[in-house]
Amino acid sequence: MNYKEAGVNVELGDLFVERIKPFIKETYNENVKAGVGGFAALYDQGSHYLVAGTDGVGTKLKLATELNKHSTIGIDLVAMCVNDILCTGARPAFFLDYMATAKLNIDIHQDVIKGIAEGCKQAGCALIGGETAEMPGMYAAGDYDLAGFSVGILNKPDYIDGSKIEAGMKIYGLKASGFHSNGYSLIRKLIENQPDELKLQCLNPTKIYVKEVLDILDKTEISGMAHITGGGFNNIARMNSNFGYEIENLPPLPDFMDKVISLANLSVKELYTTFNMGIGFTLIAKETDFLNNHSDIFTLGTVKDTFKGVKCLGEDLN
């Protein structure tokens, strides 16, 4: 089973984005430094940029509801937003949430907000507001949906836009905590008849990389960063589409991820464009002892100028 058979058409989503870009760009003014298409939007504020991103958790919410475990899904929500704006080098400043449901359940939805607050603590940002909407008839009983919005601050000289990437630089990866928050329409299909233990492991919250990456940026020069989210390893090429990114090494997958992936029987291309395959965030930099010897950083491969796009274990993902 692949992602499309599970009900998600990635190509249609890409086409939709291309269709709406002209309408969106009509709203831009001279302060918009970066808009649709990047990991985050940048808005010029003189000496610095405001960096903004928004996202949701997707159908991982259905798994949380099935298992009646709602305390970590809010961490996922924060992670999906702050990891995106982090790709520019920005430090997340604040976060807002939107939760919609047919009927408010104080115990369940309190756990959701506690998770959001915990995610904000991990990211070092303030949860400054949000909206909770009861909409009877819009959602099935027990269901709810989440969206998040994060804004960061970035001094202009610290902006990382991928323009300094060069052939020969190394691709480094930070390990994921699990499947994070992508591919769950497929994952849920694959594990629907599996034990609850495996399902609970699939509910592991998305890792928040903010403090780890900001510490790395303080110690060494990084030329590009990518959050491995929807679209899998193809996100790496979003740093600078003029180069090729050859992935030659990967860390072993956690057992539970290996189990789920084996149920799908996907091709290499489908695997690496659907799942994060154990890597949640990537960095591009010149090879240094600091990066090579860092216990939490894995050397994945090399930047090439002989092709464009991403190759994983010899397979072209384009």
Side-chain angles (χ1 to χ4, degrees), residues 170-173 233 246-252 272 277 279 298-302 311-314:
K170 292 297 180 182
I171 308 165
Y172 295 96
F233 274 60
E246 188 157 21
I247 307 300
E248 302 156 315
N249 308 294
L250 284 164
Y272 286 89
M277 299 303 290
I279 295 292
F298 193 86
T299 304
L300 299 174
T302 309
K311 289 183 179 179
C312 286
L313 308 180

Side-chain angles (χ1 to χ4, degrees), residues 90-108:
R91 180 184 299 273
F94 58 83
F95 188 88
L96 298 97
D97 70 274
Y98 173 82
M99 180 168 62
T101 185
K103 184 174 179 56
L104 190 64
N105 182 310
I106 290 178
D107 292 331
I108 289 175

Side-chain angles (χ1 to χ4, degrees), residues 165 169-171 222-224 239 245 282-286 303:
I165 291 175
M169 286 185 169
K170 292 297 180 182
I171 308 165
I222 301 296
S223 297
M239 289 185 274
Y245 303 87
T282 56
L283 314 164
I284 303 291
K286 293 180 179 178
V303 179

Side-chain angles (χ1 to χ4, degrees), residues 264-287:
N265 194 30
L266 298 176
S267 67
V268 170
K269 180 176 179 178
E270 289 174 319
L271 282 175
Y272 286 89
T273 55
T274 303
F275 302 119
N276 63 42
M277 299 303 290
I279 295 292
F281 202 88
T282 56
L283 314 164
I284 303 291
K286 293 180 179 178
E287 190 169 12

